[in-house]
């Protein structure tokens, strides 16, 4: 096994000296909910699709679906409320076995230490305070985490879906981060923050390795995919940036709004992020996998953000968007040799939903949700253009015309969202 590192460019990752594209699947509830047979099948499927990272919550996900596995990290009568003073070592041994299986399959692990519901004065614990971990147990718990999982060289996501709006919440995460830094100085560390949020306390910045943001599941806030990418790329010290929770496939819109995110929506979130500053990778989620929905099991009494009913884990594991994300990762690994530099300011404004980036080698990538003609405010002499239809990966040549101080790109011939790839002719 090898530990993931930050690349020399400061914007991407490397593994064993080679660039590594962070393509994560969201499987928050795995440790509490997946049987070993289910886990083995899951790993095989996501490996085949090209995923490289698994994002897992070490503690029970507060809005997970209920399961019959019945193993929890602390003593509990109902699987909901826990006695944090009493460990269940069998849970951690079982989680270690699952980590070993994942690492043997080639996955990196990104493990959440403290989801927001375990921390006081966050938006989640204000909804339901029964889960808050006593402050005096944060350090012992975090030591337990590092002792249990350090062997697998994970990324430590110290926070989950959180905000840092109060001294109490910052104090909890400061305690956990300090323990992780002391016991695992060489590991990568990050903070998973809530939807639409762009604040990480300055006191954390020199100890986290990269930035995670969340464009999330609000139908009216999907522009956060590129707005937050630009914010972290531009305004924070230079580190890799990842949209660690874009809209999940078939997730019902948050706040009980009717509708579900389709493959087009999740592709748009991914490419909007990658071409706007978050080029180190992207995370996928399937509604039914992240919460490990099993047919016939009772719903969780915690409603979280008010999402519509999940598909079963077995159905959700087969959603087509996972293959789209696998293709995206394959394209990046085969084609892009360094960071993507945001360049949307070179586009004659039509819509901010059209996103553009460039490489140091002079290649240009443009994501277009819908077909239209484009004008680039730069003369690209000797370039050729191709359009990749992202729904079925067909490729078409696209005409380009040089003008004085600009380049016109003809409308492509597809009706779906595309990635335009402009390269200098050899």
């Amino acid at each position: 096994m090898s530990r993931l590192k930050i690349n020399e460019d400061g914007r991407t990752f490397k593994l064993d000296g080679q660039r590594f594209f962070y393509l994560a699947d969201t499987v928050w509830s795995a440790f509490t909910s997946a049987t070993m047979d289910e886990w083995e099948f899951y790993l095989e499927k996501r490996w085949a699709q090209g995923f490289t990272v698994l994002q897992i919550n070490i503690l029970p996900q507060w809005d997970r679906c209920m399961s019959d596995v019945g193993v929890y990290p602390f003593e509990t009568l109902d699987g909901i409320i826990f006695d944090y003073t009493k460990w269940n070592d069998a849970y951690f041994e079982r989680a270690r076995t699952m980590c070993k299986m994942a690492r043997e399959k080639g996955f990196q692990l990104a493990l959440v230490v403290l989801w927001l519901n375990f921390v006081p004065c966050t938006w989640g614990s204000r909804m339901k305070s029964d889960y808050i971990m006593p402050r005096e147990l944060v350090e012992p718990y975090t030591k337990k985490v590092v002792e249990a999982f350090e062997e697998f060289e994970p990324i430590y996501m110290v926070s989950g879906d959180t905000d840092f709006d109060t001294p109490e919440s910052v104090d909890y995460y400061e305690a956990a981060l300090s323990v992780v830094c002391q016991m695992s100085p060489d590991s990568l560390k990050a903070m998973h923050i809530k939807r639409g949020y762009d604040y990480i306390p300055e006191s954390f910045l020199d100890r986290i390795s990269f930035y995670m943001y969340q464009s999330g599941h609000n139908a009216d806030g999907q522009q956060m995919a590129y707005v937050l990418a630009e914010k972290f790329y531009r305004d924070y010290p230079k580190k890799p940036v990842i949209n660690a929770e874009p809209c999940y496939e078939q997730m019902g819109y948050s706040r009980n709004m009717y509708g579900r995110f389709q493959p087009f929506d999740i592709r748009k979130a991914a490419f909007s992020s990658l071409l706007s500053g978050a080029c180190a990778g992207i995370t996928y989620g399937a509604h039914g996998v992240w919460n490990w929905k099993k047919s016939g099991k009772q719903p969780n009494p915690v409603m979280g953000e008010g999402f519509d009913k999940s598909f079963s884990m077995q159905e959700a594991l087969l959603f087509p968007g996972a293959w789209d994300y696998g293709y995206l990762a394959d394209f990046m690994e085969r084609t892009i040799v360094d960071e993507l530099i945001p360049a949307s300011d070179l586009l004659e404004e039509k819509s901010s939903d059209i996103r553009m980036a460039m490489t140091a080698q002079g290649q240009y990538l443009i994501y277009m949700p819908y077909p239209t003609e484009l004008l680039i405010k730069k003369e690209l002499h000797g370039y050729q253009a191709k359009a990749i239809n992202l729904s079925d990966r067909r490729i078409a040549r696209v005409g380009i015309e040089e003008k004085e101080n600009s380049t016109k790109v003809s409308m492509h011939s597809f009706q779906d969202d595309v990635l335009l790839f402009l390269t200098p002719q050899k």
Side-chain angles (χ1 to χ4, degrees):
M1 293 186 289
S2 298
R3 192 182 289 278
L4 199 61
K5 301 180 184 299
I6 304 299
N7 217 339
E8 286 77 10
D9 61 19
R11 293 292 187 188
T12 59
F13 299 108
K14 67 178 179 180
L15 183 67
D16 296 327
Q18 302 297 314
R19 181 175 174 180
F20 178 91
F21 186 81
Y22 183 110
L23 180 62
D25 188 38
T26 307
V27 59
W28 300 132
S29 309
F31 290 165
T32 54
S33 304
T35 67
M36 290 305 183
D37 286 343
E38 290 169 344
W39 186 239
E40 186 173 13
F41 179 78
Y42 165 84
L43 293 175
E44 182 64 35
K45 191 67 175 179
R46 288 300 191 237
W47 175 84
Q49 292 170 322
F51 286 86
T52 58
V53 182
L54 304 179
Q55 295 183 174
I56 307 173
N57 192 350
I58 294 172
L59 296 178
Q61 181 75 18
W62 70 322
D63 51 356
R64 72 194 184 280
C65 293
M66 303 310 289
S67 172
D68 54 0
V69 171
V71 182
Y72 300 102
F74 307 100
E75 187 171 295
T76 177
L77 296 176
D78 58 5
I80 301 292
I81 306 301
F82 302 99
D83 181 348
Y84 297 116
T85 66
K86 297 178 180 178
W87 305 110
N88 180 6
D89 287 325
Y91 174 89
F92 289 92
E93 281 306 312
R94 183 176 184 278
R96 281 172 47 79
T97 298
M98 296 174 75
C99 288
K100 184 174 185 292
M101 293 167 65
R103 290 292 273 150
E104 288 175 347
K105 200 67 180 172
F107 291 102
Q108 298 290 315
L109 298 166
L111 304 180
V112 178
V113 178
L114 276 176
W115 204 261
L116 83 160
N117 57 293
F118 299 101
V119 176
C121 302
T122 62
W123 71 265
S125 60
R126 282 192 290 269
M127 288 178 61
K128 192 170 179 61
S129 61
D130 295 344
Y131 303 112
I132 295 174
M133 181 179 290
R135 173 61 179 83
E136 66 271 16
L137 298 180
V138 171
E139 284 95 346
Y141 159 70
T142 307
K143 289 177 183 178
K144 176 76 170 179
V145 163
V146 179
E147 289 169 355
F149 298 108
E150 180 65 11
E151 172 188 351
F152 307 107
E153 301 180 325
I155 298 164
Y156 291 101
M157 300 165 69
V158 178
S159 66
D161 202 16
T162 200
D163 51 47
F164 305 105
D165 295 344
T166 65
E168 292 88 348
S169 62
V170 173
D171 175 61
Y172 265 62
Y173 287 120
E174 169 62 38
L177 178 59
S178 295
V179 170
V180 172
C181 289
Q182 180 182 2
M183 296 182 66
S184 180
D186 297 327
S187 63
L188 298 187
K189 305 160 188 76
M191 296 286 181
H192 181 283
I193 57 180
K194 72 176 184 179
R195 182 196 66 81
Y197 198 68
D198 62 8
Y199 172 66
I200 297 176
E202 187 174 355
S203 61
F204 295 166
L205 294 181
D206 62 345
R207 289 174 290 169
I208 61 174
S209 313
F210 62 100
Y211 307 119
M212 289 180 155
Y213 69 90
Q214 178 187 168
S215 57
H217 318 291
N218 189 319
D220 296 327
Q222 290 303 297
Q223 73 277 8
M224 289 295 109
Y226 55 83
V227 169
L228 293 175
E230 292 176 330
K231 171 71 175 180
F232 280 99
Y233 185 93
R234 180 185 65 238
D235 295 343
Y236 277 83
K238 186 177 183 181
K239 299 178 190 289
V241 184
I242 290 174
N243 187 349
E245 192 169 334
C247 54
Y248 293 167
E249 189 168 7
Q250 291 300 333
M251 178 76 98
Y253 301 154
S254 64
R255 301 175 184 174
N256 295 303
M257 181 178 176
Y258 177 67
R260 292 179 185 266
F261 292 105
Q262 303 299 314
F264 165 80
D265 302 301
I266 67 170
R267 290 196 302 266
K268 183 179 178 183
F271 281 98
S272 297
S273 303
L274 289 168
L275 302 187
S276 304
C279 67
I282 190 69
T283 297
Y284 171 80
H287 193 36
V289 172
W290 70 271
N291 50 349
W292 213 260
K293 172 69 169 66
K294 296 189 181 186
S295 299
K297 300 304 174 187
Q298 63 176 328
N300 192 311
V302 176
M303 296 307 294
E305 291 187 62
F307 303 124
D308 210 334
K309 185 177 179 179
S310 296
F311 289 83
S312 71
M313 174 273 297
Q314 292 88 346
E315 292 175 293
L317 196 54
L318 302 178
F319 288 163
W323 295 103
D324 291 342
Y325 272 47
Y327 170 78
L328 181 161
D330 182 71
F331 176 86
M332 293 290 290
E333 290 171 347
R334 287 186 293 105
T335 311
I336 308 303
V337 298
D338 53 19
E339 68 170 297
L340 290 174
I341 304 165
S344 294
D345 57 343
L346 291 176
L347 290 171
E348 189 71 33
E349 181 68 27
K350 282 203 173 188
S351 169
S352 57
D353 283 351
I354 302 174
R355 309 307 299 173
M356 179 174 176
M358 61 179 291
T359 70
Q361 288 72 37
Q363 303 159 312
Y364 291 87
L365 289 85
I366 304 172
Y367 174 75
M368 299 178 64
Y370 311 104
T372 189
E373 189 175 78
L374 291 178
L375 187 67
I376 299 172
K377 295 180 287 186
K378 184 176 183 179
E379 191 171 344
L380 300 179
H381 177 68
Y383 273 69
Q384 60 184 3
K386 292 182 178 180
I388 304 170
N389 186 336
L390 294 171
S391 67
D392 61 15
R393 270 77 78 183
R394 288 178 295 162
I395 299 175
R397 294 173 179 171
V398 180
I400 62 176
E401 179 184 350
E402 296 176 44
K403 296 179 174 289
E404 186 176 355
N405 299 320
S406 66
T407 301
K408 185 177 78 171
V409 182
S410 300
M411 190 173 82
H412 61 80
S413 56
F414 298 121
Q415 289 80 55
D416 300 310
D417 58 325
V418 306
L419 180 67
L420 284 176
F421 191 38
L422 282 63
T423 56
Q425 295 185 20
K426 298 180 180 178

